[in-house]
Amino acid sequence: MIEFFSRALRKLDKLNIEQRRELLVSAVGEISLYKNVIDSIEMGILVCDEENNLIMVNKCAQRLVPMNYIEGVKLRSAVTDKRIYDTFKDIIKNRERVTDKEIDVMHMGRNRLLSVNVVPLVKEHCVTGTLIYIEDITEKRKGEARLRRAENLASLTTLAAGVAHEIKNPLGSISIHLQLLRKVLAKKQKSPDKATDKYFNVIKEEIDRLNRIVVDFLFAVRPVNLELREGDLNELIKQIMEFVHFEMEQSNILCNLELDETLPKILMDERHIKQAILNLIKNSQAAMPNGGVFSIATSLEDNEIKITVCDTGVGISKENYSKIFEPYFTTKETGTGLGLTQVYKIIREHHGEITVDYALEKGVEFKISLPVPRKEIKLLNFNEGDKK
């Protein structure tokens, strides 16, 4: 088509008014088609000339990058996020070809991870500008993290039986013989030896700690046998918070509850959901050694029950974001690294999702989504229809 227009332009003086009009209409139609194609691409595209003036930006780029785009405006004036502009500027200045450079950006209320590619525009062996194309890889990275967690859990499953036999059983035997040894010494001694008693207590505590680690490990790798029953999630959360209230108060942690009282009942294994929420509470408590604020909120959105758990603790670094649900990953000196793995597994077994927002100024926020049973969805839709 370009060749056609080139030939037509060379003969422009020979064309009458009607032919020129038809040529112009064809050109506009062709440009409109190209624009629609570019705007339909699910990848952000920015094109700059040699002086870094923006000559084209598609709709996807405007959704992904904070900008005020006017055709012909300088790149520095269009891109409102200084960090992103500085990245573009350095790359363009050095005439680099950049592939898959990752940038995290907050835009339109969402935190996104972008992959940026930059290539020079070349015409007849001369650089005439720059092409920047951007891909939103947020969901891709989340998917990779979920797959990595699933693979890790699968590989650990093969070790479960061996661990149970090789560690748990000997620990039980050691614990029994420790008790027998204690009784034998007690019979031989006329009066209790405080030092000996202290050593026995330390050994018992360590045996119990090892047992807990083994139990946690087995829970992390074995399939969860759920006993699903209809239950009130709000009531369960109230019971949990009443149970931990005194301990949180002693740690100078203020607890906030924002429970949506219109929540329908859901199918859940109360024992396991309780364990998941308690693990998140313990995690938050450990992250606020000097006190802070802990909050749990529930809501109903798009036929899903949402649970938001957040704190004002030390938070999670960007580097650790993708690892936090992985077995044995911990930033605590005494942690086993299985607490959040248990949470992830319990929620997934309930056909739910759990995500974490690391882009907070302070603290961390976990978001859990649990499905509403079909009969409850029908009831909710019926009630909505009555209101209308």
Side-chain angles (χ1 to χ4, degrees), residues 107-135:
H107 183 39
M108 298 175 71
R110 287 185 58 194
N111 190 75
R112 291 185 173 99
L113 184 63
L114 305 180
S115 175
V116 178
N117 296 267
V118 181
V119 295
L121 281 179
V122 179
K123 182 180 179 181
E124 296 177 357
H125 307 292
C126 294
V127 175
T128 60
T130 306
L131 170 64
I132 303 169
Y133 55 100
I134 304 163
E135 183 181 3

mmCIF file of all heavy atoms in Angstrom, residues 107-135:
data_model
loop_
_atom_site.group_PDB
_atom_site.id
_atom_site.type_symbol
_atom_site.label_atom_id
_atom_site.label_comp_id
_atom_site.label_asym_id
_atom_site.label_seq_id
_atom_site.Cartn_x
_atom_site.Cartn_y
_atom_site.Cartn_z
ATOM 1 N N HIS A 107 0.001 2.623 39.018
ATOM 2 C CA HIS A 107 -0.752 3.449 38.066
ATOM 3 C C HIS A 107 -2.216 3.030 38.085
ATOM 4 O O HIS A 107 -2.526 1.843 38.105
ATOM 5 C CB HIS A 107 -0.172 3.287 36.656
ATOM 6 C CG HIS A 107 -0.823 4.143 35.618
ATOM 7 N ND1 HIS A 107 -1.214 5.447 35.862
ATOM 8 C CD2 HIS A 107 -1.171 3.891 34.326
ATOM 9 C CE1 HIS A 107 -1.749 5.949 34.771
ATOM 10 N NE2 HIS A 107 -1.747 5.024 33.827
ATOM 11 N N MET A 108 -3.098 4.012 38.129
ATOM 12 C CA MET A 108 -4.547 3.783 38.137
ATOM 13 C C MET A 108 -4.962 2.853 39.280
ATOM 14 O O MET A 108 -5.807 1.975 39.132
ATOM 15 C CB MET A 108 -4.991 3.205 36.787
ATOM 16 C CG MET A 108 -4.728 4.136 35.607
ATOM 17 S SD MET A 108 -5.124 3.420 33.994
ATOM 18 C CE MET A 108 -6.913 3.402 34.074
ATOM 19 N N GLY A 109 -4.315 3.049 40.446
ATOM 20 C CA GLY A 109 -4.671 2.304 41.645
ATOM 21 C C GLY A 109 -4.183 0.874 41.691
ATOM 22 O O GLY A 109 -4.561 0.120 42.590
ATOM 23 N N ARG A 110 -3.346 0.483 40.746
ATOM 24 C CA ARG A 110 -2.842 -0.892 40.734
ATOM 25 C C ARG A 110 -1.330 -0.920 40.663
ATOM 26 O O ARG A 110 -0.721 -0.080 40.006
ATOM 27 C CB ARG A 110 -3.395 -1.657 39.523
ATOM 28 C CG ARG A 110 -4.865 -2.037 39.622
ATOM 29 C CD ARG A 110 -5.263 -2.888 38.437
ATOM 30 N NE ARG A 110 -4.456 -4.094 38.351
ATOM 31 C CZ ARG A 110 -4.400 -4.877 37.272
ATOM 32 N NH1 ARG A 110 -5.070 -4.535 36.188
ATOM 33 N NH2 ARG A 110 -3.658 -5.960 37.270
ATOM 34 N N ASN A 111 -0.750 -1.890 41.369
ATOM 35 C CA ASN A 111 0.697 -2.074 41.292
ATOM 36 C C ASN A 111 0.983 -3.083 40.185
ATOM 37 O O ASN A 111 0.441 -4.180 40.173
ATOM 38 C CB ASN A 111 1.245 -2.586 42.625
ATOM 39 C CG ASN A 111 2.753 -2.558 42.655
ATOM 40 O OD1 ASN A 111 3.355 -1.502 42.783
ATOM 41 N ND2 ASN A 111 3.376 -3.719 42.509
ATOM 42 N N ARG A 112 1.814 -2.687 39.225
ATOM 43 C CA ARG A 112 2.106 -3.553 38.091
ATOM 44 C C ARG A 112 3.613 -3.757 37.948
ATOM 45 O O ARG A 112 4.396 -2.882 38.300
ATOM 46 C CB ARG A 112 1.586 -2.933 36.788
ATOM 47 C CG ARG A 112 0.067 -2.874 36.667
ATOM 48 C CD ARG A 112 -0.285 -2.351 35.282
ATOM 49 N NE ARG A 112 -1.701 -2.417 34.999
ATOM 50 C CZ ARG A 112 -2.537 -1.404 35.110
ATOM 51 N NH1 ARG A 112 -2.085 -0.241 35.534
ATOM 52 N NH2 ARG A 112 -3.818 -1.538 34.809
ATOM 53 N N LEU A 113 3.964 -4.903 37.394
ATOM 54 C CA LEU A 113 5.352 -5.179 37.038
ATOM 55 C C LEU A 113 5.417 -5.154 35.516
ATOM 56 O O LEU A 113 4.715 -5.914 34.839
ATOM 57 C CB LEU A 113 5.791 -6.547 37.566
ATOM 58 C CG LEU A 113 7.258 -6.922 37.341
ATOM 59 C CD1 LEU A 113 8.179 -5.958 38.072
ATOM 60 C CD2 LEU A 113 7.528 -8.348 37.796
ATOM 61 N N LEU A 114 6.239 -4.247 34.976
ATOM 62 C CA LEU A 114 6.312 -4.059 33.531
ATOM 63 C C LEU A 114 7.650 -4.567 32.992
ATOM 64 O O LEU A 114 8.689 -4.405 33.626
ATOM 65 C CB LEU A 114 6.165 -2.573 33.171
ATOM 66 C CG LEU A 114 4.920 -1.847 33.702
ATOM 67 C CD1 LEU A 114 4.937 -0.395 33.244
ATOM 68 C CD2 LEU A 114 3.647 -2.547 33.243
ATOM 69 N N SER A 115 7.592 -5.152 31.812
ATOM 70 C CA SER A 115 8.797 -5.554 31.095
ATOM 71 C C SER A 115 8.987 -4.574 29.938
ATOM 72 O O SER A 115 8.117 -4.442 29.073
ATOM 73 C CB SER A 115 8.645 -6.984 30.561
ATOM 74 O OG SER A 115 9.760 -7.328 29.761
ATOM 75 N N VAL A 116 10.122 -3.868 29.914
ATOM 76 C CA VAL A 116 10.371 -2.815 28.930
ATOM 77 C C VAL A 116 11.414 -3.285 27.919
ATOM 78 O O VAL A 116 12.466 -3.816 28.290
ATOM 79 C CB VAL A 116 10.857 -1.522 29.625
ATOM 80 C CG1 VAL A 116 11.174 -0.445 28.590
ATOM 81 C CG2 VAL A 116 9.815 -1.026 30.610
ATOM 82 N N ASN A 117 11.095 -3.083 26.641
ATOM 83 C CA ASN A 117 12.024 -3.384 25.557
ATOM 84 C C ASN A 117 12.226 -2.124 24.725
ATOM 85 O O ASN A 117 11.248 -1.424 24.401
ATOM 86 C CB ASN A 117 11.480 -4.505 24.666
ATOM 87 C CG ASN A 117 11.339 -5.823 25.409
ATOM 88 O OD1 ASN A 117 12.228 -6.640 25.407
ATOM 89 N ND2 ASN A 117 10.202 -6.010 26.068
ATOM 90 N N VAL A 118 13.467 -1.812 24.408
ATOM 91 C CA VAL A 118 13.773 -0.597 23.644
ATOM 92 C C VAL A 118 14.670 -0.962 22.467
ATOM 93 O O VAL A 118 15.695 -1.628 22.632
ATOM 94 C CB VAL A 118 14.483 0.452 24.527
ATOM 95 C CG1 VAL A 118 14.782 1.715 23.716
ATOM 96 C CG2 VAL A 118 13.630 0.801 25.741
ATOM 97 N N VAL A 119 14.260 -0.528 21.264
ATOM 98 C CA VAL A 119 15.074 -0.761 20.068
ATOM 99 C C VAL A 119 15.133 0.532 19.258
ATOM 100 O O VAL A 119 14.174 1.308 19.246
ATOM 101 C CB VAL A 119 14.501 -1.901 19.192
ATOM 102 C CG1 VAL A 119 14.569 -3.223 19.914
ATOM 103 C CG2 VAL A 119 13.071 -1.601 18.777
ATOM 104 N N PRO A 120 16.249 0.802 18.607
ATOM 105 C CA PRO A 120 16.334 2.004 17.760
ATOM 106 C C PRO A 120 15.530 1.820 16.471
ATOM 107 O O PRO A 120 15.473 0.718 15.925
ATOM 108 C CB PRO A 120 17.832 2.130 17.475
ATOM 109 C CG PRO A 120 18.368 0.749 17.643
ATOM 110 C CD PRO A 120 17.518 0.065 18.664
ATOM 111 N N LEU A 121 14.911 2.900 16.004
ATOM 112 C CA LEU A 121 14.245 2.886 14.706
ATOM 113 C C LEU A 121 15.287 3.205 13.644
ATOM 114 O O LEU A 121 15.952 4.241 13.712
ATOM 115 C CB LEU A 121 13.128 3.932 14.666
ATOM 116 C CG LEU A 121 11.804 3.582 15.331
ATOM 117 C CD1 LEU A 121 10.847 4.758 15.207
ATOM 118 C CD2 LEU A 121 11.186 2.344 14.707
ATOM 119 N N VAL A 122 15.430 2.322 12.693
ATOM 120 C CA VAL A 122 16.480 2.478 11.685
ATOM 121 C C VAL A 122 15.843 2.614 10.296
ATOM 122 O O VAL A 122 14.950 1.846 9.925
ATOM 123 C CB VAL A 122 17.445 1.273 11.699
ATOM 124 C CG1 VAL A 122 18.508 1.432 10.628
ATOM 125 C CG2 VAL A 122 18.091 1.134 13.066
ATOM 126 N N LYS A 123 16.308 3.622 9.557
ATOM 127 C CA LYS A 123 15.873 3.819 8.173
ATOM 128 C C LYS A 123 17.102 4.092 7.325
ATOM 129 O O LYS A 123 17.849 5.033 7.593
ATOM 130 C CB LYS A 123 14.885 4.980 8.089
ATOM 131 C CG LYS A 123 14.347 5.204 6.683
ATOM 132 C CD LYS A 123 13.360 6.368 6.658
ATOM 133 C CE LYS A 123 12.836 6.596 5.247
ATOM 134 N NZ LYS A 123 11.894 7.745 5.192
ATOM 135 N N GLU A 124 17.319 3.244 6.339
ATOM 136 C CA GLU A 124 18.463 3.379 5.435
ATOM 137 C C GLU A 124 19.778 3.501 6.209
ATOM 138 O O GLU A 124 20.570 4.408 6.008
ATOM 139 C CB GLU A 124 18.266 4.575 4.498
ATOM 140 C CG GLU A 124 17.068 4.417 3.569
ATOM 141 C CD GLU A 124 16.834 5.632 2.696
ATOM 142 O OE1 GLU A 124 17.570 6.626 2.863
ATOM 143 O OE2 GLU A 124 15.920 5.594 1.858
ATOM 144 N N HIS A 125 19.945 2.578 7.173
ATOM 145 C CA HIS A 125 21.176 2.463 7.969
ATOM 146 C C HIS A 125 21.400 3.649 8.920
ATOM 147 O O HIS A 125 22.496 3.815 9.442
ATOM 148 C CB HIS A 125 22.406 2.289 7.064
ATOM 149 C CG HIS A 125 22.257 1.166 6.087
ATOM 150 N ND1 HIS A 125 22.224 -0.155 6.469
ATOM 151 C CD2 HIS A 125 22.114 1.183 4.726
ATOM 152 C CE1 HIS A 125 22.081 -0.912 5.394
ATOM 153 N NE2 HIS A 125 22.002 -0.136 4.325
ATOM 154 N N CYS A 126 20.379 4.462 9.131
ATOM 155 C CA CYS A 126 20.495 5.593 10.065
ATOM 156 C C CYS A 126 19.424 5.484 11.144
ATOM 157 O O CYS A 126 18.283 5.113 10.856
ATOM 158 C CB CYS A 126 20.329 6.925 9.325
ATOM 159 S SG CYS A 126 21.654 7.263 8.158
ATOM 160 N N VAL A 127 19.807 5.823 12.380
ATOM 161 C CA VAL A 127 18.849 5.802 13.489
ATOM 162 C C VAL A 127 17.969 7.040 13.389
ATOM 163 O O VAL A 127 18.462 8.170 13.402
ATOM 164 C CB VAL A 127 19.570 5.769 14.851
ATOM 165 C CG1 VAL A 127 18.559 5.861 15.987
ATOM 166 C CG2 VAL A 127 20.403 4.501 14.987
ATOM 167 N N THR A 128 16.655 6.812 13.254
ATOM 168 C CA THR A 128 15.721 7.937 13.095
ATOM 169 C C THR A 128 14.810 8.120 14.295
ATOM 170 O O THR A 128 13.924 8.974 14.282
ATOM 171 C CB THR A 128 14.853 7.720 11.844
ATOM 172 O OG1 THR A 128 14.119 6.487 11.990
ATOM 173 C CG2 THR A 128 15.712 7.668 10.591
ATOM 174 N N GLY A 129 14.999 7.309 15.313
ATOM 175 C CA GLY A 129 14.156 7.435 16.494
ATOM 176 C C GLY A 129 14.272 6.213 17.377
ATOM 177 O O GLY A 129 15.225 5.432 17.268
ATOM 178 N N THR A 130 13.291 6.064 18.260
ATOM 179 C CA THR A 130 13.325 4.969 19.228
ATOM 180 C C THR A 130 11.944 4.336 19.350
ATOM 181 O O THR A 130 10.930 5.040 19.385
ATOM 182 C CB THR A 130 13.746 5.478 20.628
ATOM 183 O OG1 THR A 130 14.984 6.185 20.514
ATOM 184 C CG2 THR A 130 13.908 4.323 21.603
ATOM 185 N N LEU A 131 11.919 3.017 19.425
ATOM 186 C CA LEU A 131 10.692 2.272 19.668
ATOM 187 C C LEU A 131 10.767 1.635 21.053
ATOM 188 O O LEU A 131 11.709 0.909 21.352
ATOM 189 C CB LEU A 131 10.494 1.186 18.604
ATOM 190 C CG LEU A 131 9.375 0.165 18.858
ATOM 191 C CD1 LEU A 131 8.011 0.842 18.875
ATOM 192 C CD2 LEU A 131 9.418 -0.950 17.821
ATOM 193 N N ILE A 132 9.771 1.968 21.880
ATOM 194 C CA ILE A 132 9.700 1.388 23.222
ATOM 195 C C ILE A 132 8.427 0.551 23.283
ATOM 196 O O ILE A 132 7.339 1.055 22.993
ATOM 197 C CB ILE A 132 9.632 2.477 24.315
ATOM 198 C CG1 ILE A 132 10.845 3.418 24.221
ATOM 199 C CG2 ILE A 132 9.542 1.857 25.705
ATOM 200 C CD1 ILE A 132 10.725 4.657 25.093
ATOM 201 N N TYR A 133 8.548 -0.719 23.612
ATOM 202 C CA TYR A 133 7.325 -1.505 23.804
ATOM 203 C C TYR A 133 7.350 -2.163 25.183
ATOM 204 O O TYR A 133 8.379 -2.616 25.675
ATOM 205 C CB TYR A 133 7.070 -2.498 22.670
ATOM 206 C CG TYR A 133 8.156 -3.475 22.344
ATOM 207 C CD1 TYR A 133 8.109 -4.780 22.809
ATOM 208 C CD2 TYR A 133 9.219 -3.116 21.515
ATOM 209 C CE1 TYR A 133 9.084 -5.697 22.477
ATOM 210 C CE2 TYR A 133 10.208 -4.026 21.171
ATOM 211 C CZ TYR A 133 10.128 -5.322 21.661
ATOM 212 O OH TYR A 133 11.102 -6.233 21.338
ATOM 213 N N ILE A 134 6.173 -2.134 25.800
ATOM 214 C CA ILE A 134 6.041 -2.479 27.215
ATOM 215 C C ILE A 134 5.000 -3.576 27.386
ATOM 216 O O ILE A 134 3.917 -3.509 26.801
ATOM 217 C CB ILE A 134 5.599 -1.236 28.032
ATOM 218 C CG1 ILE A 134 6.579 -0.091 27.802
ATOM 219 C CG2 ILE A 134 5.494 -1.563 29.507
ATOM 220 C CD1 ILE A 134 6.023 1.257 28.209
ATOM 221 N N GLU A 135 5.328 -4.554 28.213
ATOM 222 C CA GLU A 135 4.391 -5.650 28.484
ATOM 223 C C GLU A 135 4.110 -5.719 29.979
ATOM 224 O O GLU A 135 5.020 -5.614 30.804
ATOM 225 C CB GLU A 135 4.981 -6.978 28.002
ATOM 226 C CG GLU A 135 4.053 -8.164 28.164
ATOM 227 C CD GLU A 135 4.680 -9.466 27.710
ATOM 228 O OE1 GLU A 135 5.864 -9.452 27.316
ATOM 229 O OE2 GLU A 135 3.985 -10.491 27.756
#
